Amino acid sequence: MAGTGRLFAVDWGDKRIGLAISDELGMLASPVGILTRRAGKRPPLAELMRQAEELGATGYIFGLPLDPAGAETDRTREVREIAAKLAGRQALPIRLVDERFTTSSALRSIREQGGSTRGRKGDVDAMAACVLLESVLRAGAQGVELGELVENVAGDAGDGA
């Protein structure tokens, strides 16, 4: 997946979804904002797909929220379900990549740049997606593909969301 165009990273959260995009060469990652989730509403898959298309994405990288020991959680299962629904609705490849410590890295990065994180949760979420994407790009530059590919299971066209 690395070196095949622009990758669109997604940091899925309860309230916000952080987003980042790579350059065409797969060398640089940039935060591109957030999507806001509304409690009790369907996941914003259509908006996610619209933004990926608008940015010229050739694949998705979803952060997989494992617990500190690397075990699956309820959030991990939710992200797997969302990625599977997305795979059923469009043709771009989707990879799930361990996102442990991306938020703490994003917070550290913002502070190192002399910024405050107070009142900037959206910036932190977008930066966490950027940190995730940077790790994928670094690994790809060394010939390593991180994570696992989400298979588009025939007959699972999602729930129409």
Side-chain angles (χ1 to χ4, degrees), residues 2-160:
T4 60
R6 300 186 84 174
L7 298 178
F8 190 53
V10 179
D11 179 48
W12 197 268
D14 279 334
K15 298 179 181 177
R16 289 168 307 280
I17 302 165
L19 306 171
I21 191 82
S22 73
D23 66 333
E24 292 85 359
L25 299 175
M27 296 174 68
L28 301 172
S30 302
V32 292
I34 61 164
L35 293 177
T36 302
R37 291 188 60 195
R38 295 186 346 239
K41 301 291 182 183
R42 289 183 179 175
L45 294 182
E47 179 61 17
L48 200 62
M49 291 182 341
R50 186 193 69 72
Q51 286 201 26
E53 182 178 348
E54 187 176 288
L55 292 166
T58 58
Y60 291 87
I61 303 294
F62 266 74
L64 192 62
L66 302 169
D67 76 8
E72 302 244 340
T73 65
D74 288 342
R75 173 67 63 75
T76 308
R77 288 182 281 283
E78 177 188 9
V79 168
R80 286 186 183 283
E81 288 172 15
I82 294 299
K85 285 180 183 179
L86 184 61
R89 293 185 57 182
Q90 54 82 58
L92 297 180
I94 301 169
R95 292 195 77 77
L96 300 172
V97 177
D98 182 352
E99 69 169 26
R100 284 179 289 174
F101 314 115
T102 56
T103 298
S104 60
S105 293
L107 288 165
R108 186 172 49 254
S109 178
I110 289 171
R111 287 188 195 113
E112 285 172 357
Q113 295 170 16
S116 169
T117 56
R118 175 174 279 197
R120 297 180 62 190
K121 290 180 180 174
D123 291 343
V124 171
D125 292 332
M127 184 63 80
C130 193
V131 168
L132 173 71
L133 186 52
E134 287 170 344
S135 69
V136 169
L137 297 176
R138 275 194 310 274
Q142 297 175 2
V144 176
E145 196 160 51
L146 296 180
E148 61 190 79
L149 190 63
V150 175
E151 298 295 328
N152 181 356
V153 179
D156 181 24
D159 63 356

